Amino acid sequence: MTERQDPTCSARGCRRPAVWALRWNNPKLHTPERRKIWVACDDHREHLEEFLSLRGFLKDTVSTQELG
């Protein structure tokens, strides 16, 4: 049995605990209902949201606790 590890931020080089889940999809590759997830710490949330938003990929952002 493996222990569940808390997610770490998806920003390059960051090892902080992630507290946000950015749900996105690339409409050229994914069906409309498919959601990929990047996770972010408080410091990188805005940067990652902007990156995804500029490409039209970001669907929503929720707390990692809401993911279950």
Side-chain angles (χ1 to χ4, degrees), residues 13-30:
C14 185
R15 293 289 163 237
R16 291 186 177 151
V19 293
W20 299 104
L22 289 64
R23 297 189 288 202
W24 63 278
N25 84 356
N26 180 340
K28 292 181 181 179
L29 301 176
H30 307 121

Side-chain angles (χ1 to χ4, degrees), residues 2-64:
T2 60
E3 290 184 37
R4 180 180 169 197
Q5 293 182 345
D6 292 329
T8 57
C9 183
S10 296
R12 184 179 302 182
C14 185
R15 293 289 163 237
R16 291 186 177 151
V19 293
W20 299 104
L22 289 64
R23 297 189 288 202
W24 63 278
N25 84 356
N26 180 340
K28 292 181 181 179
L29 301 176
H30 307 121
T31 59
E33 66 278 351
R34 172 105 189 257
R35 292 294 180 267
K36 303 280 284 181
I37 298 174
W38 282 357
V39 292
C41 65
D42 282 328
D43 290 343
H44 291 111
R45 174 186 174 178
E46 186 176 323
H47 171 75
L48 293 174
E49 285 177 332
E50 183 177 327
F51 179 90
L52 292 169
S53 292
L54 287 172
R55 290 153 180 80
F57 295 171
L58 184 64
K59 299 303 177 189
D60 66 346
T61 300
V62 298
S63 162
T64 55

